[in-house]
Amino acid sequence: MSAHQAHTAVVEGVEVDTRHWIGGHRVASTTTFTDVSPIDEQPLAEIHAGTTTEVDAAVAAARAAFPAWAALSVKERSDILRAVADGIEARIEDLAVVETRDNGSLLRSHRRGVMPRVAMNFRAFADFAEQQLGHPDLEVRGHRERISYDPAGVVAIITPWNAPLMLATWRIGPALAAGNTVVVKPPEWAPLTASLLADIMHEAGVPAGVFNVVQGTGVDAGAPLTAHPDINRLAFTGSVPTAGVISKAAAANIVPLSYELGGKSPLLVFEDADLDLAVDLAVEQFDNAGQVCLKAARMLVHSSLAEEFTQRVVAKASTLVQGDPRDEATDVSALVSRRHFEQICGFVERAVADGARPLLGGGPNDELGGLYFRPTVLVDAPPGSEILTEEVFGPVVTIETFDTEEEAVAKANDTRFGLAATLATGDPARAERVSRQLRAGTVWVNCFFVRDLNAPFGGSGRSGIGREGGIWSFDFYTDIKNSVFAPSGWAEQAGQEGGSDG
Ligand code: NAD
């Protein structure tokens, strides 16, 4: 094998470098791991497996690049990040086909929704930094208080596989816009588009060392990054158990954390709901084969509607087309890996053993084989059982009933998670009342998934720590400083007569 072949993979006709990107160079490791496609379980690429050595080099490169990147004007940085967004838009098709082959999500979603959003993750935060980041000076007893958003330093970013590039850039965009440098550890089950992003960053003029990628597993590359003494922020998107491990690793260095974790979100369907809309909202939960953190996995339906709602959800979900995600007609594809597929099989087998009844699906799609699990609707799961309490992260939903609004809210909030909640109601007063009572980072009323990038996003309870989006991202990725200037003529010039007690 030539050196060229060993360092690249051709995926759906697109050449992808399988090495790390550190300090503006491709860096090889001595060992690799195999990246497998969920579509057919065939090997796609041998990815260079980072360890402490590569992590140390990447953090050192990010540290060295920090002063010059932080010293750029906000406009200069934002212009470079808008060039990154342009570069992403120019390569949407490449990014879409590679991501689909790598993590099995629908090509049509990548083309039309996900990859345009990846570009927005740079454009929106570049614009925000330039146009909206700032705070009017305060005054106290003639003193001027200047509030500034200083870049924090080196940001470590660790992300999952269910929307690899979208979730990574949601952190990378604001971190860079705030003037930090970044080390990213992509998910080992879908590592390819992070490498393409490094090419795009380089071509867009992002200076060497500002953006670094260390490929590898969670244990070998992720763990040393989280424990590194020279990182200043740690942004993690992933599961609750991993977050627990990371918290311990980061504690020794007192590194501020931003966590976006799992969920067990409810869809509440009230007796006054538009049933067509409620059924549409329910069936939408099979998007990305249910591998969506925000997914409403628990459907809570007023008992007067339960029978009709359930029948209609089952009927509509049974028309979903399952198959190859590259096919435009496909609605539900394969699960990301053999291990994840077996986990989903285990959840459903145990749910049935506990007394739940599948009205649709309930197991693997034997016609397709591989990692394809049928869209599954379960009823009669016993209260408190695993399927109602644990995050499944697959194409599985449960339906329960309620009789009163109080019971609906109590059931919705009866979870350790608190990422999102969706409600369908025709009563505006109820919409206001119930949304106030739900414990969730995002509440959708008669809609789902709509959100401005400048709105806060995050979870309560086990679903996360902190909020990101707009100013909330900059709160996390900066050291906010208050500089207090003594009067020395300024207050007189400004015609001040003292301020409040500070
Ligand atoms: P995971 O926790 O297994 O892995 C996430 C990342 O952490 C991967 O890059 C992995 O390599 C790394 N990692 C694993 N062990 C590590 C360790 N010891 N130290 C450092 N890094 C380590 O999660 P996953 O299975 O990849 O993703 C699914 C989870 O992510 C679900 O719980 C889902 O709800 C959650 N998620 C949350 C959001 C959100 O915005 N709240 C979005 C998407 C996914």
Side-chain angles (χ1 to χ4, degrees), residues 17 101 152 174 187 189 220 299 313:
D17 201 303
R101 192 87 171 94
W189 287 348
D220 292 332
M299 319 234 152
V313 169

Side-chain angles (χ1 to χ4, degrees), residues 158-163 167 170-171 185-189 216-219 221-226 236-243 245-246 249 259-263 291-294 339-340 391 393 417 419 457-459 463-464:
I158 299 183
T159 47
W161 45 265
N162 62 315
L167 293 169
W170 162 244
R171 311 295 213 151
K185 207 297 283 173
E188 58 269 48
W189 287 348
T217 64
V219 171
L225 182 57
T226 60
F236 171 70
T237 310
S239 66
V240 173
T242 306
V245 175
I246 289 178
Y259 281 172
E260 294 182 357
L261 310 178
Q291 302 168 124
V292 177
C293 57
L294 294 161
R339 195 178 86 193
H340 190 57
E391 183 184 45
F393 220 56
F417 297 101
L419 193 54
F457 175 80
S463 289

Side-chain angles (χ1 to χ4, degrees), residues 263-267 285 294-299 392 396-399:
K264 192 71 182 174
S265 301
L267 165 64
Q285 309 308 322
L294 294 161
K295 169 191 163 178
R298 294 183 294 141
M299 319 234 152
V392 175
V396 181
V397 300
T398 56
I399 300 180

